[in-house]
Structures are given as structure tokens and as C-alpha cells.
Amino acid sequence: MPLLIKNEKNSASGITKVAAGKIATLKVGYHSQGLSDWHYSFGNNDVAQVQNFTLNMKTNFKDINFPDNTLSPSEKHETASGWDLKWSYKNLVSGYQIAMEMPEKMQPGPLAGKISFFAPVSLFFFFFIMFIITTMRGIELHPMNYFSWPPPSFPFIYYWLTWWTTCPFTRPSRYLRSSRFFLVVSYLRLVIGIQFATREAAIAQFVYLVLFSYAFFLKGFTGLAITIGSVVTLFVVMQVTGRIHWAQKLAVTTPEPASQLS
């Protein structure tokens, strides 16, 4: 008997007759564009039961991801171009589906929005480290010097550069990142000196501004990377400043009055 297909909204269904004791094989295929994920449901009910179920999936991409509340494959083998996945169950009772999220090209707009939203966190670490370094080395900086550093005083420049640097392999992004370095280094060389600006300030800026932004490219590990960086920073600061007497270090010294002429 031929299979009678009936098209419905977002689905296709069919009915056929199979003789007793016979085996029917159903092959389904389709072409589509623009799918962000693919789902296979065992039924319309919340909990479904299936027996002798096998689903083979071959992907032509390496970046596979299974959404939350879905079944992971029972077998997984990496191929030259992707993965060979298999779901096999003798008897399964589950309310979960089989699903696969397709890899998407990185969109600079949403990524830049996340980086800009968490930019105050990276700026806080950057200024905290710079405060610790200048205090330990006895470098006196007025609050206006901190305020005049390019990142906080020109936030629109920082966010604009962040938006353009979300593509790490383009020539303009390299120029823009270099200009962000130049803003801080050129200012601190006038305030403190060229050695401090090109060494301590440049390294701190690279770690807490550049690497912090690159952590958002690590899909699924951004929070872990930032947490590890924060713990390492706290550990280093605690070890370096553990023996410092802050009351003496931050004590305000008043100049002695000039001697009066008799």
C-alpha cells in the first residue's frame, strides 16, 4: 500500500497498512535552511515509551551541542568532518526529546553587548591592580590621574573599540586594539614614566582588558575563565601584600611649617 502523506502546519503525517508479520521500513529526508536546532520527539505526550529504537546521526560539523533536558547519544565517534552519533534503546520511557543545536556564526552585536555590559568588572580589576602596584612602589597618584586614564574617562571610546574588536582576525581590529593600548601608555608615560607605562601598565591592561574580552569567545567557559582569573588575581595580591602595614603605607603626611624669620 502506498503511504498517503498529508501536509499540516509545521508537520507531515501519513497512514498506510502493513500486513500481519511483515516489516515496514520508513525513510524520511528533508532539506532546510535557517534551522538553529533539530528535535526528534517520541510523541505528543509528556512521557512516551519506545522499544527497539535506533537513531543514527552524522554531522558535517565538529561543534556539536545538545540542549538542556534532551537525551545524549549512547555512542559517539568523531569523524574527519564531524561526528557519528547513535541513540539506541531497547526499552525507553522518557519525557525528553532527542535534539541537536546547530553551530552559528558569531554575531558581533550581541557579543559586544555582553562585553560592554561586563566592562566595569574588567576596569575594576585593572584599576585595583594598578593601585596595588603604585602603592607598593611608593608612586603617588592624585585621584584626578585615575580619573583621567583613557578607559574610564572615555567610556564611549572603550565600548566602540570593543564592538570593532569582536572580530579578532581583521586588520582594523588590530589597529583599534593597538590604539587602546596607546591611549593608556601615552598618558602614563607623562604621569609616571615610560618604563612603568610600557611594563606594568601595559601588562595589566593586556590581562584585564584584552584577555577579559577574549574570554567571551570561549563559548560555555566564559564564566569559568573569568572566575579562575579572579581567584588567581586575589591569590597573587594576598601573597604580595600580606606583610604590608596599610596604616603606615596610606598614612597622610603633613608638611612641616616653614621656620619663621626672626
Side-chain angles (χ1 to χ4, degrees):
M1 288 285 295
L3 179 64
L4 301 178
I5 302 296
K6 181 173 60 174
N7 293 324
E8 297 178 357
K9 184 179 181 180
N10 298 328
S11 65
S13 61
I15 301 175
T16 188
K17 294 182 179 180
V18 180
K22 300 295 182 179
I23 297 177
T25 302
L26 174 64
K27 295 182 179 181
V28 178
Y30 64 91
H31 295 276
S32 179
Q33 293 180 347
L35 286 178
S36 59
D37 50 52
W38 179 89
H39 290 260
Y40 181 89
S41 177
F42 297 110
N44 296 326
N45 299 327
D46 293 338
V47 179
Q49 181 178 5
V50 293
Q51 295 179 343
N52 300 322
F53 176 85
T54 301
L55 187 148
N56 296 316
M57 178 187 296
K58 294 183 180 181
T59 69
N60 58 355
F61 49 86
K62 295 284 187 178
D63 187 14
I64 59 174
N65 186 41
F66 309 104
D68 296 336
N69 299 326
T70 59
L71 298 173
S72 299
S74 53
E75 296 182 19
K76 183 170 60 174
H77 304 283
E78 189 173 4
T79 61
S81 59
W83 291 88
D84 191 356
L85 309 174
K86 182 178 181 180
W87 287 261
S88 180
Y89 307 104
K90 291 293 184 181
N91 191 0
L92 174 67
V93 178
S94 176
Y96 292 156
Q97 301 178 352
I98 296 175
M100 168 68 70
E101 287 186 350
M102 307 301 177
E104 299 179 355
K105 292 184 178 181
M106 187 173 297
Q107 300 295 329
L111 180 61
K114 292 181 180 179
I115 298 176
S116 300
F117 181 79
F118 288 97
V121 179
S122 64
L123 292 175
F124 168 78
F125 278 109
F126 176 68
F127 280 96
F128 176 69
I129 291 298
M130 296 306 297
F131 170 77
I132 295 296
I133 295 175
T134 54
T135 303
M136 292 183 59
R137 295 186 56 181
I139 301 175
E140 296 183 1
L141 290 177
H142 192 271
M144 280 302 300
N145 294 127
Y146 287 97
F147 178 78
S148 299
W149 285 2
S153 60
F154 303 108
F156 63 93
I157 295 179
Y158 179 81
Y159 297 147
W160 180 70
L161 293 178
T162 300
W163 189 91
W164 280 101
T165 55
T166 49
C167 183
F169 304 109
T170 59
R171 182 176 300 178
S173 68
R174 292 197 295 266
Y175 293 149
L176 292 171
R177 285 196 297 269
S178 300
S179 65
R180 188 166 59 183
F181 267 106
F182 177 76
L183 288 174
V184 177
V185 173
S186 63
Y187 178 76
L188 291 181
R189 72 177 176 84
L190 300 175
V191 178
I192 302 176
I194 186 64
Q195 185 176 4
F196 180 88
T198 57
R199 190 174 59 185
E200 286 88 346
I203 294 175
Q205 185 180 198
F206 176 78
V207 173
Y208 295 103
L209 296 183
V210 177
L211 293 185
F212 183 90
S213 299
Y214 272 105
F216 288 86
F217 289 90
L218 305 176
K219 186 178 180 180
F221 296 95
T222 301
L224 178 62
I226 295 176
T227 302
I228 293 176
S230 303
V231 173
V232 172
T233 299
L234 180 61
F235 173 78
V236 173
V237 171
M238 292 174 63
Q239 299 301 313
V240 172
T241 62
R243 299 182 183 274
I244 294 180
H245 299 283
W246 290 104
Q248 300 177 3
K249 200 73 174 177
L250 300 179
V252 179
T253 59
T254 57
E256 297 181 357
S259 58
Q260 297 180 356
L261 297 176
S262 55

